[in-house]
Amino acid sequence: MGRCVARELVEWSGVDAERLVDLLVERALAEMGNYYYYTLLRMHLVGVEGDALRRVVEDAREEDRNHFEALVPRIYELGGRLPATFAGELGGLGDLRNLPAEADVPQILPILLKAAEESVRAYTQLCSVTSGKDNRTYNLVLAILHEEIAHQVWLLEFLGRGATEPSPRTRNISPFVAPYLRAPRPVSLEPAACTA
Ligand code: ZN
């Protein structure tokens, strides 16, 4: 691991930077895994109920991709790296791979709910690891947490409402994470900032 000013600052504030980077990398891979499985799922949801759930899946899918995009610059800023190869087995939605091709909404919904719960738990943990210490990471993971909680709410609403009425939700994609997607290129992505 090279020398990084951002990393030194984080360590100085009392955060275990290596553990923090590990957690952030784990989340980035989980987000990408979920994005992948949401993409597959979107193609398999049919019928009236499937259509209704697909609208939820499409929004969650876009936001999870944004979460991945927002996490990566911070990982590199802290001197971390993404693995060179993507295993594709991470993230709570990985359980979807065990489903039969003709899986229906009642089979799929518990997996989506479990994955949403796992994400909320992971970002809550990241918030408590960084709270009052690493404000930059804290603000980012809190923004993502808000959106993960929204995913959970959408699914619970769907569970309560079923496909009977259209969702009352009119929401922009990534209202909390959007500012992090417009952020300038982080310093440490420049070649010389984190030396090996
Ligand atoms: Zn996400």
Side-chain angles (χ1 to χ4, degrees):
M1 195 65 71
R3 182 183 178 275
C4 286
V5 177
R7 190 187 179 89
E8 282 172 9
L9 283 172
V10 161
E11 267 167 2
W12 179 79
S13 70
V15 175
D16 180 343
E18 193 164 331
R19 177 161 174 265
L20 175 61
V21 166
D22 285 349
L23 290 173
L24 292 173
V25 168
E26 196 180 288
R27 284 329 298 164
L29 296 176
E31 297 287 0
M32 197 33 90
N34 285 349
Y35 173 76
Y36 181 81
Y37 286 112
Y38 276 138
T39 305
L40 283 185
L41 186 59
R42 198 169 58 135
M43 302 300 176
H44 287 99
L45 289 171
V46 291
V48 178
E49 223 187 3
D51 269 351
L53 184 58
R54 191 169 59 230
R55 284 194 290 275
V56 173
V57 164
E58 279 174 354
D59 286 358
R61 172 180 171 271
E62 263 189 74
E63 289 196 345
D64 277 356
R65 187 199 56 205
N66 288 343
H67 298 166
F68 172 78
E69 298 273 14
L71 285 166
V72 171
R74 188 59 180 151
I75 290 168
Y76 279 72
E77 246 171 29
L78 291 171
R81 292 286 178 270
L82 290 177
T85 52
F86 179 63
E89 294 294 329
L90 293 145
L93 286 181
D95 287 352
L96 285 174
R97 71 183 176 276
N98 298 320
L99 278 181
E102 69 278 14
D104 57 6
V105 168
Q107 282 176 287
I108 291 166
L109 211 50
I111 297 175
L112 298 186
L113 277 165
K114 192 174 137 246
E117 234 179 78
E118 187 189 301
S119 297
V120 168
R121 201 178 318 117
Y123 285 105
T124 303
Q125 184 195 10
L126 271 162
C127 280
S128 60
V129 166
T130 53
S131 172
K133 295 171 183 166
D134 172 6
N135 292 328
R136 198 170 155 84
T137 306
Y138 176 78
N139 290 336
L140 169 65
V141 292
L142 181 63
I144 299 176
L145 176 62
H146 284 309
E147 295 186 0
E148 300 295 355
I149 290 171
H151 295 180
Q152 210 177 10
V153 171
W154 299 345
L155 289 167
L156 291 169
E157 278 176 358
F158 178 86
L159 193 65
R161 194 183 60 239
T164 49
E165 24 175 324
S167 167
R169 174 170 56 84
T170 49
R171 183 172 177 273
N172 296 327
I173 294 296
S174 284
F176 297 97
V177 172
Y180 297 92
L181 301 172
R182 290 194 298 268
R185 187 176 161 85
V187 186
S188 61
L189 287 181
E190 304 301 335
C194 283
T195 50

